[in-house]
Amino acid sequence: MCAHNPPCPTAMAPDREAARPVAHRPEQGWSLLCNGVLVFEDTGELLDPDGRIVAPHRPLALTVGSAA
């Protein structure tokens, strides 16, 4: 699907989110990458060609607590 040189990572590659966006719909919360991956605003993904779902994977927020 990708025609870039060098080619973008495939949908199954660990760095698949580095592929270039070909469609971006911020009002709907998603982007389509040139490798066929749909990336959602909550960091979830839908992978092409097998339709596998990747659950949202936002980093955990760090909180600073005070010792009493």
Side-chain angles (χ1 to χ4, degrees):
M1 193 171 197
C2 176
H4 305 110
N5 193 9
C8 291
T10 67
M12 296 304 166
D15 59 345
R16 62 184 158 260
E17 293 177 15
R20 294 185 187 180
V22 294
H24 182 63
R25 298 287 183 253
E27 70 280 0
Q28 296 177 356
W30 61 267
S31 293
L32 174 64
L33 305 180
C34 68
N35 57 5
V37 173
L38 273 173
V39 180
F40 297 96
E41 186 177 82
D42 69 355
T43 70
E45 300 171 4
L46 182 60
L47 307 182
D48 184 50
D50 68 356
R52 187 174 66 145
I53 296 170
V54 176
H57 49 277
R58 262 181 229 248
L60 296 175
L62 296 176
T63 58
V64 178
S66 60

